[in-house]
Amino acid sequence: TGFRLVFFQSDVTDSYDEFFEDAILIGIMTSHKSYKFCLRLNKILSFNFRLNTDIVIEMKKKKRTYHFPVYQSDVRHSQIKHYLYDNRNDGEVLLPEFKNIDFIWLIKGDINYYKQLQELLQIINSMDGIQLATEIPHTELPNREYLIF
């Protein structure tokens, strides 16, 4: 009378691959706090990053629950969505393999613009307070499940 869903490892890996198949990840090191960084991106690059309270990234560790905020900006008349994950919260890191990265920028949608990505990276890297902005292949993320919502 009960229903139980069982996932096999290949099913989980397939769902990860499906989530990231139309995505680009950018790792960003900056001295800016999240709200200031979003304001700068909105002003310099004409985005509209806002805190998305519907997306909750939680991590339970050391008998505590950590919440990692996610900011979102949609592109008008397009399927492309931008998500900016704060990689730090109260001394804890969402993606420990990138503990020096402050933000993870996920660009999701019909992305066929490698040249535009290079231009975006160049602009971000030229902003005050940015130490590094670089593309991160999702296949190199052992903890990529933390980015899936």
Side-chain angles (χ1 to χ4, degrees):
T1 62
F3 179 75
R4 190 170 143 211
L5 185 60
V6 177
F7 287 103
F8 296 99
Q9 185 60 40
S10 65
D11 293 338
V12 173
T13 302
D14 289 347
S15 66
Y16 293 164
D17 291 341
E18 186 177 312
F19 181 83
F20 289 106
E21 75 183 353
D22 63 347
I24 291 174
L25 290 170
I26 300 172
I28 302 168
M29 291 173 59
T30 180
S31 57
H32 295 298
K33 299 289 183 201
S34 55
Y35 71 94
K36 250 188 177 170
F37 184 52
C38 287
L39 287 174
R40 291 189 55 77
L41 290 174
N42 290 346
K43 182 178 180 183
I44 293 170
L45 295 169
S46 300
F47 281 99
N48 190 27
F49 278 105
R50 302 271 185 243
L51 180 63
N52 185 332
T53 56
D54 294 330
I55 300 174
V56 178
I57 307 293
E58 286 187 353
M59 176 189 289
K60 295 183 189 295
K61 198 171 188 181
K62 302 175 191 170
K63 298 182 182 182
R64 288 188 57 192
T65 301
Y66 297 90
H67 300 274
F68 296 88
V70 178
Y71 300 83
Q72 181 175 342
S73 179
D74 298 337
V75 177
R76 279 186 173 195
H77 311 295
S78 170
Q79 297 295 327
I80 297 174
K81 296 185 182 301
H82 296 261
Y83 301 96
L84 191 66
Y85 298 75
D86 200 328
N87 196 38
R88 302 181 185 287
N89 180 304
D90 200 21
E92 200 53 59
V93 180
L94 180 64
L95 297 177
E97 60 271 27
F98 290 103
K99 64 183 177 193
N100 295 323
I101 296 291
D102 299 296
F103 296 97
I104 306 294
W105 187 338
L106 171 69
I107 305 171
K108 197 156 172 41
D110 184 20
I111 302 174
N112 292 320
Y113 59 89
Y114 182 76
K115 182 180 177 193
Q116 288 178 336
L117 172 64
Q118 297 310 309
E119 290 172 4
L120 178 63
L121 289 172
Q122 185 176 15
I123 292 168
I124 297 169
N125 277 309
S126 70
M127 292 170 56
D128 289 337
I130 302 295
Q131 286 81 40
L132 175 71
T134 187
E135 184 177 6
I136 300 172
H138 71 84
T139 54
E140 292 182 13
L141 292 174
N143 294 302
R144 63 185 180 259
E145 69 271 11
Y146 294 140
L147 300 178
I148 297 176
F149 47 84

